[in-house]
Amino acid sequence: MKRVYIETYGCQMNEYDSEIVKTILRQSGYHITETPDNADILLMNTCSVRENANRKIVARVHEFRHAFQENDKQIGILGCMVTNLGEDLLDLPINFMAGPDSYKFLPGLIEKAKKDKLVHKKLSRTETYADIYPTRVDGINAWIAVMRGCNNFCSFCVVPYARGRERSRTIPDIVAETEQLVQEGFIQVTLLGQNVNSYDDQGKNFADLLQAVSQVRGLQRIRFTSPHPKDFPLELIEVIADNAKICNHIHLPLQAGSDRILRLMRRTYTQKQYMALVDKIRSKMPNVTLSTDIIVGFPTETWQDYLQTEAVVNTVGFDSAFIFKYSERKGTLAAKKYADDVPEEEKTRRIVRLNDIQKNISLKKNLAHVNDIQTIIIEQLGTKKSPDDCQGRNQGNKLVILPGKHHVGEIVQAKITDATAHVLKAIPAQ
Ligand code: SAH
Ligand code: SF4
Ligand code: F3S
């Protein structure tokens, strides 16, 4: 029996896709291994969203080839780099490539790639892998991709090219999968989509889906990522607010604060509209945890433009933010229309400054929870610092460290006693 090792880069959708790949390969008689050393086939499920994601993969391919020079292991590249870069990757010492919609062809590709380098990267309008039950990792959380693809074409982003058009699974299908997951012991599902709230099952929207999934008995928590600000009607906010199982955490990518930059990015909202959405969310969910994604140094971004991003960060007070330097991606609208003209040192200056500001805000937000009683679900026994502590998460998706013995999946009422910018510390509430 051939053994396959798979390494995953990029977003949660890729984590999920690797679980899909494992099932497809197992059904074709392959065995999945946990280390590259004893594998016959090495797979890398890749990300192409920024240039350094690409660089990492190229280095890893060479590292693998070097380490396993003597034996004839096959190396395959999967995922977004394949659809984004395609044949350009054939110079690498690899045997085959398969894009995000090509995984059902993998067993055939692996078989045939013994002779020639093979590429399958055709995107599909319909593939959702609804018929493949992922090989999930044990734990409390199961990912479910409820929609795939993106139709938005933000000017900086490769995802619409790498992942193709939007398509959704049906509500009954997702509910049935959730029921099975609960029977298997998972107590949380995270609904995934490149624009998860653009979900559309023949007119049934994301709010309908959330409501349906929340009816599943035994399920404790529902998370979702990533929503786009353009699809946030009041109805959706109310469903999240009124439903105890749906976590009060919203990841709401801002990208930039300047209206001029937002327009060039094709984000379809202005700073004012974004702020109004935050207000609307907070009016229904006063304790909501908000996180965001931000890009600094988009082409033509001036210091004044950048300060607008800073102003939004200061005004909203996000609990956390993922901040990126603009990375020009071949084939995107921004790459075609605008020179990548913000110097690297300037991008660095902006990202360092904004991360610093955000860190202080995160710390303040976290310290404000001290003395709160919160519901924590334990995810891991032992932490980096101490084998005697456990790690879990609150509703807001914040990491919480607790002393003492618990078990994974245990639901603990805990009192927050201290915080850093990254974690809360707690003790079981009396
Ligand atoms: N679908 C999600 C984002 C997916 S990509 C959404 O619309 O919110 C995740 C994040 O990577 C984006 O939110 C953006 O902040 C960042 N990103 C995407 N393309 C980028 C680029 N070319 N350079 C730098 N950051 C980028
Ligand atoms: Fe990329 Fe925009 Fe689509 Fe998000 S919405 S995946 S940023 S194109
Ligand atoms: Fe990367 Fe593809 Fe996800 S480009 S962020 S792995 S959708």
Side-chain angles (χ1 to χ4, degrees), residues 324-365:
F324 309 104
K325 292 181 189 177
Y326 172 71
S327 168
E328 187 178 81
R329 311 311 293 131
K330 211 169 108 190
T332 58
L333 291 168
K336 286 179 198 154
K337 281 170 85 171
Y338 318 112
D340 183 6
D341 60 357
V342 178
E344 187 58 28
E345 317 82 76
E346 187 52 33
K347 286 180 185 167
T348 303
R349 175 178 170 220
R350 291 177 197 179
I351 198 173
V352 167
R353 186 171 146 124
L354 199 53
N355 268 322
D356 227 36
I357 292 171
Q358 180 56 48
K359 197 171 165 202
N360 282 324
I361 296 173
S362 297
L363 178 62
K364 245 187 243 158
K365 290 261 156 188

Side-chain angles (χ1 to χ4, degrees), residues 252-367:
L252 200 63
L254 165 70
Q255 311 302 0
S258 145
D259 285 344
R260 190 182 68 83
I261 297 295
L262 284 170
R263 209 166 45 242
L264 298 187
M265 287 178 161
R266 292 171 43 103
R267 285 296 288 182
T268 72
Y269 51 82
T270 60
Q271 178 189 123
K272 207 163 147 198
Q273 285 166 331
Y274 184 94
M275 300 295 287
L277 176 57
V278 169
D279 288 345
K280 194 161 83 172
I281 292 170
R282 283 195 168 138
S283 75
K284 297 285 171 194
M285 306 168 66
N287 297 320
V288 68
T289 297
L290 285 179
S291 55
T292 198
D293 290 345
I294 290 171
I295 297 175
V296 296
F298 186 84
T300 78
E301 186 185 71
T302 63
W303 184 248
Q304 291 309 316
D305 289 320
Y306 160 77
L307 288 179
Q308 288 295 307
T309 304
E310 221 177 272
V312 177
V313 166
N314 279 318
T315 314
V316 172
F318 295 106
D319 291 85
S320 61
F322 300 95
I323 308 173
F324 309 104
K325 292 181 189 177
Y326 172 71
S327 168
E328 187 178 81
R329 311 311 293 131
K330 211 169 108 190
T332 58
L333 291 168
K336 286 179 198 154
K337 281 170 85 171
Y338 318 112
D340 183 6
D341 60 357
V342 178
E344 187 58 28
E345 317 82 76
E346 187 52 33
K347 286 180 185 167
T348 303
R349 175 178 170 220
R350 291 177 197 179
I351 198 173
V352 167
R353 186 171 146 124
L354 199 53
N355 268 322
D356 227 36
I357 292 171
Q358 180 56 48
K359 197 171 165 202
N360 282 324
I361 296 173
S362 297
L363 178 62
K364 245 187 243 158
K365 290 261 156 188
N366 286 349
L367 284 172

Side-chain angles (χ1 to χ4, degrees), residues 132 250 296:
I132 309 284
I250 298 180
V296 296

Side-chain angles (χ1 to χ4, degrees), residues 383-396:
T383 63
K384 264 184 236 150
K385 287 202 181 130
S386 163
D388 300 325
D389 290 343
C390 324
Q391 188 171 299
R393 280 176 199 271
N394 68 8
Q395 270 250 349

Side-chain angles (χ1 to χ4, degrees), residues 9-11 13-14 46-49 80 158-159 162-163 194:
Y9 298 80
C11 63
M13 185 67 87
N14 260 15
T46 63
C47 173
S48 207
V49 80
C80 292
V158 290
V159 171
R163 290 272 176 178
Q194 267 85 34

